[in-house]
Amino acid sequence: MDFRLSKRTAWLLIYDILATYAAYWLGACLTNVVGEVFANNEIYFMLGILALINVLVLACFKLYNNLWEYAGINEALQIFFSVFLSTLIGAVFLWIIDVRLPIRVFIAAAIILVFLLGGMRMVWRVFHKNKRIIAHHDEAPRRPRTLIVGAGETGALTIGRMLSHDQNMPGVPIVATDDDPSKRKLRIHGIRVAGSSEDIPALVDRYDIEQIVVAIPSATPEEQRAIYAICIETDCSLKTLPNIRELRIDEIGDVALRDVDVTDLLGREEIVLDTRIASSYVAGKTVLVTGGGGSIGSELCRQLAKVAPARIVIFDMYENDAYMLQQELLREYDDIDVVVEVGNVCDLARVHEIFEQYAPKVVFHAAAHKHVPLMELCPREAIQNNVFGTLNVVREADSHGVDRFIFISTDKAVNPTSVMGATKRMGEMVLQYYARASKTVFSAVRFGNVLGSNGSVIPVFKRQIANGGPITITHPDIERFFMTIPEAVRLVIQAGGIAQGGEIFILDMGEPVRIVDLARNLIRLSGADVQIEYIGLREGEKLYEELLTDDENTIPTANKSIMIATCEGISHEEVAAKIEKLSQVVDAPGGDVIACLEDAVPTYRFTSHSSR
């Protein structure tokens, strides 16, 4: 049994007990045995036992957890079966203790009890529905005429709550669509299912629709992407809501419409964290996350907290974001020690101090300078942080016996045309160099752009739209791979669990997305009249990103979203020589760091750079 004894539940329990007494008394009256059954006071005690059995069975059927404001046929069937079962159990119990009641009394009482229990709950539903309508009728703003896409369970909930003037579901349901032919021309709460998703534009015009609600969260990513593509071609505002089947019963009443965002339009399949793999190397351990306050690092901490590490050490240069993340994790996970340490990975003494103090067994190295144009202007900083900062953390992990080390790399490390990409490729080399001789399992994970991260185009475009435009794009043909921060992080954690040492893991980024298409979709979703302006490629920027070099291939893993890049090995001596030369040039004023970086990373394709 799983119910909380709220005030509402307490009143229902009292009512159900009284209803049981009333049902048996009325049943005895209707069967003309009331004098015989109620001849002595013992029957009242026995009916109390029957009432207790009844409420226990109702609780087992979770009928005290239901939100009766939204009750329907399913709840009515639950009441019928629970009353039938409790009556049967009660009859058997009385027979065992040798208390005889006529069978016809049990039958009559059960029928009456179904009506008493169901009737009360339906009255509750009608009362609350009318109460909401009255409460919101005068002060509620005008509700947009709405088309609901999906005539399933979620669509029915949406329509029902809109009709009841639920403030979380603003809109007047006018018409619905569904791609299931068997649902065509049927009605849901009086609203007609008038066609399929292909009919949406015509229905919008015919019924003067102002808002479209996509209520098909169980559809495949491809199906959702196709439907959104149709919807955004209209001038309607576009909303959606979560899959109600994935929610607890007490959460359904709080489900609210939300704006469709660009993540929905990508239509990527949701990645679920395999807690079995993650727990195998994280649970009960101290985990260090460098760059832990950043967009990737902070999500790593959130996902890692779900698999019960003993301690998470957040290491970052910027104390504000790290502190806010620490407070968030402490609120949600009071059994995990969450520590913030402020410092720079370029400071070897500080890095050594962290490893000495906490002795982490798992390290996620997310600290990096990632802004491509800025690193073109500051190549020394990029090399210091992305190469030698990585080297510092790798050396300390090796000398302190860390079990696993996962380096967050990027698709820009593949045939790099930017300083940032070249330094990340050099970081991969450092990792593979140590992986050959160390007991620590070193691995790298390469992926493309993540939506919503610091420096992502999405926040920039949204700010430009809010300011009235224009949206600035470097080139009409520029493409990028995209995934959400949570799914990238989940795959990173799972890749760490299957690593053997020295691998460069490649995440399945799906199909590349044209940036101009992304911008146009954002403009449509915002409803703004904003122009797009092309400003030319920036230094170090590619038109197309790649996940593999020309001499690399991939081999699959057990997870279809994670692959391993195959590439020729590089000797210890060669990597050591590259590191030494880079160190000399970076430390020497006026040294040509770009030429040195080109020499260190043969696949680095030099583009035009201003003098440094």
Side-chain angles (χ1 to χ4, degrees), residues 15 93 163 168 292 461 533 559 591:
Y15 174 81
F93 173 76
L163 290 172
N168 286 331
F461 286 170
E533 180 181 308
N559 188 320

Side-chain angles (χ1 to χ4, degrees), residues 10-26:
W11 279 113
L12 280 175
L13 283 168
I14 293 170
Y15 174 81
D16 292 345
I17 291 170
L18 295 176
T20 305
Y21 276 91
Y24 277 90
W25 184 81
L26 289 172

Side-chain angles (χ1 to χ4, degrees), residues 62-218:
K62 301 187 184 299
L63 286 167
Y64 294 109
N65 292 30
N66 287 354
L67 290 168
W68 293 102
E69 297 90 318
Y70 311 109
I73 187 64
N74 288 338
E75 286 74 19
L77 289 172
Q78 282 181 313
I79 290 172
F80 174 81
F81 286 118
S82 62
V83 169
F84 171 80
L85 182 59
S86 68
T87 303
L88 181 61
I89 294 171
V92 172
F93 173 76
L94 292 184
W95 181 80
I96 290 173
I97 65 173
D98 200 27
V99 175
R100 299 291 185 259
L101 284 182
I103 296 298
R104 59 183 182 273
V105 173
F106 284 108
I107 295 173
I111 295 171
I112 294 168
L113 195 54
V114 167
F115 282 100
L116 288 176
L117 300 186
M120 175 59 183
R121 284 158 171 81
M122 291 305 108
V123 168
W124 188 300
R125 171 182 174 174
V126 172
F127 171 76
H128 279 272
K129 177 179 178 181
N130 291 335
K131 183 179 177 181
R132 281 197 306 271
I133 292 173
I134 293 169
H136 297 294
H137 184 269
D138 294 329
E139 68 273 15
R142 179 183 174 276
R143 298 182 299 136
R145 295 172 62 84
T146 303
L147 180 151
I148 291 86
V149 181
E153 189 174 358
T154 304
L157 173 75
T158 304
I159 293 171
R161 288 177 57 181
M162 282 185 174
L163 290 172
S164 66
H165 292 234
D166 190 319
Q167 59 183 347
N168 286 331
M169 297 276 183
V172 179
I174 303 298
V175 67
T177 66
D178 199 287
D179 289 339
D180 183 353
S182 66
K183 295 180 181 178
R184 307 281 166 74
K185 298 183 180 179
L186 299 179
R187 290 183 180 270
I188 302 174
H189 300 304
I191 303 302
R192 183 167 175 261
V193 182
S196 68
S197 55
E198 294 179 356
D199 300 314
I200 289 173
L203 293 172
V204 166
D205 291 338
R206 186 186 312 167
Y207 292 100
D208 295 323
I209 299 299
E210 301 164 287
Q211 173 179 270
I212 299 174
V213 175
V214 179
I216 48 167
S218 58

Side-chain angles (χ1 to χ4, degrees), residues 302-422:
R302 292 185 187 98
Q303 297 290 339
L304 288 166
K306 296 178 180 179
V307 288
R311 177 188 290 130
I312 297 176
V313 181
I314 303 168
F315 185 56
D316 203 288
M317 293 172 59
Y318 306 105
E319 71 276 14
N320 290 337
D321 290 342
Y323 174 76
M324 295 302 292
L325 174 63
Q326 179 194 38
Q327 298 308 303
E328 173 191 332
L329 295 177
L330 288 174
R331 282 194 302 271
E332 295 189 29
Y333 304 95
D334 56 7
D335 57 338
I336 300 175
D337 184 18
V338 182
V339 180
V340 169
E341 291 288 349
V342 178
N344 191 331
V345 293
C346 296
D347 183 347
L348 178 57
R350 182 67 175 129
V351 174
H352 176 76
E353 182 181 7
I354 296 300
F355 276 86
E356 281 287 309
Q357 182 174 352
Y358 296 106
K361 286 300 178 184
V362 181
V363 175
F364 288 88
H365 181 49
H369 286 323
K370 298 183 283 289
H371 197 286
V372 170
L374 286 182
M375 292 307 101
E376 293 301 299
L377 300 174
C378 311
R380 275 187 169 79
E381 285 300 316
I383 294 171
Q384 287 281 16
N385 198 82
N386 296 356
V387 178
F388 292 105
T390 297
L391 182 61
N392 288 341
V393 183
V394 166
R395 281 174 172 167
E396 292 301 316
D398 175 53
S399 63
H400 285 82
V402 167
D403 292 340
R404 289 178 186 268
F405 186 108
I406 299 93
F407 173 59
I408 308 300
S409 190
T410 170
D411 57 0
K412 293 176 177 61
V414 179
N415 297 324
T417 59
S418 65
V419 169
M420 193 281 278

